[in-house]
Amino acid sequence: MCGRFSQAYSWNEIVAFSQPLIVPAATPNLRARYNIAPTTEVDIIVNTEAGRELKKARWGLIPGWHKGGLKDFKLATFNARVETVETSGTFKHAYRSRRCIIPASGFFEWTGEKKDRVPHFFSAADGDLLAFAGLWESWRNPETGEDITTCTMIVRDANVWTAQYHDRMPCMLLRQDFEAWLDGSGGMDLLKQPPRELREWIVSKRVNKAGEGDDDPTTIEPFKDDLF
């Protein structure tokens, strides 16, 4: 699973990462976030009629067929398992026609005992952004009448190096495969290919609490005693 990650980049960085990306005329601020937890709003990249765009989505997919409210949807859908994403009633329709890329500065995993978990931050070895394979849905909240875009991150078995820390990891796309993933011409071959080379370091245990340090860049810096 991947239950926490970071998105911290400028417009120049995200445009360079995901060319061709449409930049709105009135460019909104990109708020850097360092400890993103499920059910909060995240950036996703999608194909639209106008072209490739950066959109906002609630992290935790709600299928369009769900008729109840938020409180009635009990499934944990911030991750979708690559082994079942094609056949799951929750994800299969989005897999066929509503794909996205979730750009990330990095992600967290934990080691150690449950009462004393040690957080580790993972990012691209070359310092570039990561591209997590994702799915999105549009769901209408019957309680408010609001149309809400929701998303999920697809996860896979960890490779040998990452398995030292956790048995699962996000499916990561290579730049040359972005369009094939978004337009549906690529599938499991993209999700199961070897991931990019990563680097890792221990960070402050502040991130053990969801939302703690979300706006603080020191959240993802290498651990120092004075952070506790």
Side-chain angles (χ1 to χ4, degrees):
M1 64 171 289
C2 179
R4 215 75 65 75
F5 72 106
S6 296
Q7 291 185 320
Y9 36 72
S10 66
W11 272 107
N12 286 341
E13 289 171 327
I14 195 65
V15 168
F17 179 67
S18 183
Q19 292 180 348
L21 185 73
I22 296 173
V23 180
T27 308
N29 290 329
L30 290 177
R31 174 191 165 206
R33 298 180 61 202
Y34 301 94
N35 189 17
I36 300 172
T39 75
T40 60
E41 196 173 63
V42 301
D43 294 335
I44 63 172
I45 297 169
V46 297
N47 273 349
T48 70
E49 291 183 358
R52 197 179 291 178
E53 296 186 32
L54 190 69
K55 300 282 192 179
K56 296 291 185 182
R58 176 189 183 273
W59 185 22
L61 186 141
I62 302 177
W65 47 255
H66 175 63
K67 302 302 182 184
L70 277 172
K71 293 181 180 179
D72 301 316
F73 194 73
K74 305 297 184 181
L75 299 178
T77 55
F78 55 92
N79 287 164
R81 296 178 65 88
V82 69
E83 296 88 349
T84 57
V85 69
E86 290 181 288
T87 57
S88 164
T90 302
F91 302 119
K92 64 182 180 181
H93 298 295
Y95 178 80
R96 292 169 190 161
S97 59
R98 289 179 291 278
R99 298 180 178 181
C100 66
I101 294 170
I102 303 175
S105 308
F107 64 98
F108 299 92
E109 289 298 354
W110 282 261
T111 58
E113 298 297 326
K114 188 174 182 179
K115 293 183 179 180
D116 189 31
R117 298 196 306 163
V118 176
H120 302 252
F121 186 70
F122 298 81
S123 61
D126 61 6
D128 197 4
L129 297 176
L130 299 171
F132 300 153
L135 308 173
W136 68 273
E137 279 275 15
S138 182
W139 169 73
R140 173 158 289 188
N141 187 338
E143 297 171 345
T144 64
E146 178 186 10
D147 289 323
I148 300 174
T149 300
T150 67
C151 68
T152 189
M153 182 187 301
I154 304 176
V155 295
R156 55 174 286 182
D157 282 338
N159 63 350
V160 173
W161 182 78
T162 313
Q164 303 173 78
Y165 308 95
H166 199 276
D167 61 357
R168 305 291 288 180
M169 67 185 299
C171 293
M172 300 180 204
L173 301 167
L174 303 178
R175 288 196 195 199
Q176 62 263 30
D177 298 325
F178 286 3
E179 192 58 30
W181 172 251
L182 291 173
D183 68 18
S185 59
M188 286 294 152
D189 54 325
L190 305 184
L191 299 178
K192 295 183 177 181
Q193 65 185 333
R196 294 181 57 182
E197 184 179 355
L198 300 173
R199 57 185 176 180
E200 166 275 336
W201 57 81
I202 293 173
V203 295
S204 169
K205 289 183 180 179
R206 290 184 302 157
V207 303
N208 291 1
K209 183 178 180 180
E212 182 69 27
D214 196 23
D215 293 320
D216 184 355
T218 65
T219 301
I220 63 172
E221 291 181 358
F223 163 76
K224 296 178 182 177
D225 288 339
D226 58 8
L227 289 179
F228 283 90

